[in-house]
Amino acid sequence: MKYISIGKFKKSFIYIILSVVFLILKDSLYGFNYLYSLKEIILFNSDTQKLFSQHILIHNTFNYFGALIISFFFHRYEKKTSENENNLLLSRTSSNRSSNIILIHMNSDKDFTTKKSFIIFLCVIISWIIEELSIESYTLILKDLDFWMFELFIITLFHKKMFKVEIYKHQKLAMLINIIPCFLKIIAIILGFHKTLEEYPIFYVVKPFFIPIGIILFFMLITLRSYINAKIKWYMDLKYISPHKLLMYYGTIGTLICLIICIISSFNECSISDRSITSFICNVTSNRKEFFIENFSIYFSRFEKKEILEELARILLGMIAFFFNKYFYILIIKCLTPVYVVFSIPIFYFIQKSILLINTLICEHKCFMVDKNIIHIKFILDISGDFISLIGFLIYLEIIIFNFCGLNYNINDEISRRSYDESYGIEQRSLSLVSENESEIGD
């Protein structure tokens, strides 16, 4: 008996991989690194383009607008294709029953029966965008305090309550394994206080009292995200809202929210003091050493002839990468469950760190750009935590199967096998009863 076996890779799992790929592509447009210790990954590497990378909210505005435009054309194509198929089916059938079935799908655009249900839906979308922007800002300020490992527990509970599903033994094991990276992250946070890292901008080191505040805030944000993901699944499954239509609402509201924030922040200069929270949020700097969260005037003043094409290319690629990242994100929720969205987090972090390490080895012929053992240890702890979480998630996904202690009893293949055996047994018993009855009649 094999104690460990490899399960099937479902086709729908490719959505998780594609979501991560497009997220890494999006991040590479604006640049990413690890405590400035590895060679930065950035597609447009000029000094002016690095200044453009400071304009996170303006780029987000373009990205949300791009999601609106692309999803609109996808939705129109989907609607036209659906109408053509329905017209073809209607012309081929005269059965009232068949026609009624078709008309249900034709009328699926009427998603909301009341004004109240539509307002609730808009509140969910607004909460989704605010949660996204908040977590993005959080990772800039309190990056090491993002205990995303616990999101698997939270989303599993939401999913269980909302869709009345059971949590199986192998899934509980995966959640327990996911606690190990939490301890590694705590060690990495403690190492952040080492005196050799004083020159690196780590906010929680300067303001230690923000650690409990930050952790509580992050738990609130991932709880909100878990609820929103479960609600998105509910709208797609029970209200028949298509991913493209969902992204149209998402893109429209996201564009408006980002635009409003950009306009307000353009007229409000930040008051910067040494290592204050504003020094981590207000990254946009003018030539007069003024600091802003975002500023349209500074953004457009940086346009030069040679830089315009690069920035336009970055905007266009950013819009495409952002759309497909969100599109596959929604398909994960629709075709799998909201729980599977959490699996993309360690995959993303593990691949991102691996790319940084490989890029540094190829370009610099060494593992790290700086010779500081504390940074090396922090990096190893972080990537090890990502890898352990990845193993846990592979168990949850039933790609790694433990064939002992009943851990394989409720995996999909075993449930299907038992169902077949039971059905086959019932069929055999029925046949034996029929043959017995026939023999009795013959007698």
Side-chain angles (χ1 to χ4, degrees):
M1 175 185 175
K2 289 183 178 180
Y3 289 102
I4 300 176
S5 58
I6 303 300
K8 296 177 182 177
F9 185 91
K10 296 178 183 177
K11 289 182 180 179
S12 50
F13 290 169
I14 197 66
Y15 298 142
I16 301 173
I17 304 298
L18 289 171
S19 175
V20 169
V21 167
F22 282 105
L23 182 56
I24 290 172
L25 174 60
K26 183 179 81 72
D27 278 8
S28 66
L29 293 170
Y30 312 114
F32 61 86
N33 206 332
Y34 184 87
L35 282 177
Y36 308 102
S37 60
L38 297 162
K39 187 170 178 62
E40 186 180 23
I41 301 289
I42 184 167
L43 292 185
F44 301 101
N45 200 22
S46 67
D47 292 337
T48 307
Q49 287 302 317
K50 287 182 178 180
L51 291 174
F52 275 124
S53 295
Q54 298 173 353
H55 297 274
I56 296 170
L57 275 170
I58 288 178
H59 285 130
N60 275 339
T61 306
F62 285 124
N63 290 340
Y64 282 114
F65 184 69
L68 165 62
I69 298 300
I70 298 170
S71 58
F72 172 76
F73 285 108
F74 270 78
H75 178 66
R76 288 294 297 272
Y77 176 78
E78 179 186 50
K79 190 175 179 181
K80 187 175 180 180
T81 304
S82 179
E83 286 176 354
N84 290 338
E85 289 176 355
N86 285 329
N87 290 335
L88 183 63
L89 287 169
L90 282 169
S91 65
R92 288 180 177 179
T93 180
S94 59
S95 169
N96 289 332
R97 184 181 177 186
S98 298
S99 299
N100 288 336
I101 293 170
I102 295 164
L103 288 171
I104 288 171
H105 296 283
M106 288 179 68
N107 292 329
S108 63
D109 269 348
K110 296 178 181 179
D111 306 306
F112 306 101
T113 53
T114 63
K115 187 177 179 180
K116 183 181 178 181
S117 63
F118 181 67
I119 291 171
I120 293 171
F121 171 74
L122 289 182
C123 288
V124 171
I125 300 295
I126 292 167
S127 300
W128 181 12
I129 292 155
I130 291 171
E131 163 263 307
E132 270 190 349
L133 295 174
S134 299
I135 288 179
E136 187 175 5
S137 300
Y138 184 97
T139 54
L140 290 173
I141 306 166
L142 299 166
K143 184 176 177 59
D144 287 347
L145 304 182
D146 55 337
F147 286 85
W148 49 265
M149 308 89 181
F150 289 102
E151 189 169 359
L152 181 59
F153 294 91
I154 298 167
I155 187 62
T156 300
L157 293 174
F158 270 120
H159 189 250
K160 179 185 177 182
K161 187 173 181 180
M162 196 171 287
F163 297 97
K164 310 299 180 187
V165 295
E166 189 178 348
I167 304 172
Y168 297 126
K169 205 170 184 179
H170 67 283
Q171 295 170 338
K172 291 176 182 177
L173 175 64
M175 288 189 280
L176 286 173
I177 290 173
N178 219 32
I179 294 174
I180 299 172
C182 177
F183 293 110
L184 297 179
K185 182 171 275 291
I186 290 170
I187 297 170
I189 290 169
I190 294 169
L191 290 175
F193 287 90
H194 197 274
K195 60 182 180 181
T196 58
L197 298 181
E198 289 177 355
E199 61 189 89
Y200 293 90
I202 304 175
F203 181 70
Y204 67 81
V205 174
V206 183
K207 309 283 187 182
F209 62 87
F210 263 92
I211 292 176
I213 296 171
I215 291 171
I216 292 168
L217 177 61
F218 188 74
F219 270 87
M220 291 170 63
L221 288 172
I222 61 174
T223 301
L224 177 61
R225 179 163 66 185
S226 298
Y227 171 77
I228 289 166
N229 288 342
K231 201 67 179 174
I232 288 169
K233 173 77 171 173
W234 185 83
Y235 276 114
M236 286 191 290
D237 285 1
L238 301 180
K239 292 293 183 180
Y240 308 107
I241 298 178
S242 71
H244 301 133
K245 193 166 187 181
L246 192 66
L247 281 170
M248 283 172 60
Y249 287 110
Y250 170 80
T252 303
I253 297 171
T255 303
L256 291 172
I257 289 174
C258 284
L259 198 59
I260 290 167
I261 296 172
C262 288
I263 291 169
I264 293 171
S265 59
S266 293
F267 296 98
N268 290 276
E269 183 183 349
C270 295
S271 177
I272 300 290
S273 59
D274 185 43
R275 295 275 179 118
S276 65
I277 192 168
T278 51
S279 65
F280 289 84
I281 299 173
C282 305
N283 295 313
V284 178
T285 315
S286 69
N287 294 331
R288 297 193 299 267
K289 300 299 180 183
E290 297 171 323
F291 294 88
F292 298 87
I293 294 174
E294 193 52 272
N295 190 291
F296 278 118
S297 178
I298 294 172
Y299 175 75
F300 288 110
S301 69
R302 286 172 173 162
F303 273 90
E304 299 175 8
K305 288 183 180 179
K306 62 179 181 178
E307 303 290 346
I308 290 175
L309 289 178
E310 283 190 0
E311 177 61 9
L312 290 175
R314 175 153 60 175
I315 290 169
L316 181 61
L317 288 172
M319 290 162 77
I320 294 169
F322 181 83
F323 169 78
F324 282 106
N325 166 247
K326 296 304 173 187
Y327 179 64
F328 290 117
Y329 179 98
I330 290 173
L331 286 183
I332 294 168
I333 296 173
K334 180 180 174 63
C335 301
L336 296 164
T337 70
V339 178
Y340 288 70
V341 171
V342 185
F343 302 160
S344 63
I345 298 172
I347 296 172
F348 167 71
Y349 285 140
F350 182 77
I351 293 175
Q352 189 185 60
K353 291 182 181 76
S354 300
I355 291 171
L356 282 168
L357 191 61
I358 293 166
N359 183 57
T360 307
L361 279 169
I362 293 171
C363 298
E364 303 297 328
H365 306 291
K366 55 184 179 179
C367 291
F368 293 91
M369 301 283 287
V370 295
D371 296 323
K372 290 190 176 183
N373 290 331
I374 294 298
I375 290 180
H376 303 172
I377 295 169
K378 272 178 66 69
F379 181 85
I380 291 167
L381 287 170
D382 278 345
I383 199 168
S384 298
D386 299 335
F387 182 74
I388 292 168
S389 284
L390 193 56
I391 296 298
F393 290 150
L394 289 175
I395 294 168
Y396 199 107
L397 290 168
E398 300 174 12
I399 294 174
I400 295 176
I401 300 170
F402 292 133
N403 301 309
F404 54 86
C405 298
L407 290 167
N408 63 340
Y409 185 76
N410 285 309
I411 65 170
N412 287 327
D413 287 346
E414 284 295 312
I415 292 171
S416 299
R417 185 186 62 77
R418 289 199 303 275
S419 177
Y420 173 79
D421 289 346
E422 288 171 6
S423 299
Y424 184 73
I426 291 169
E427 185 180 344
Q428 289 294 99
R429 285 195 296 273
S430 299
L431 288 172
S432 63
L433 286 171
V434 169
S435 61
E436 286 175 9
N437 290 333
E438 287 177 349
S439 62
E440 288 174 5
I441 292 169
D443 293 338

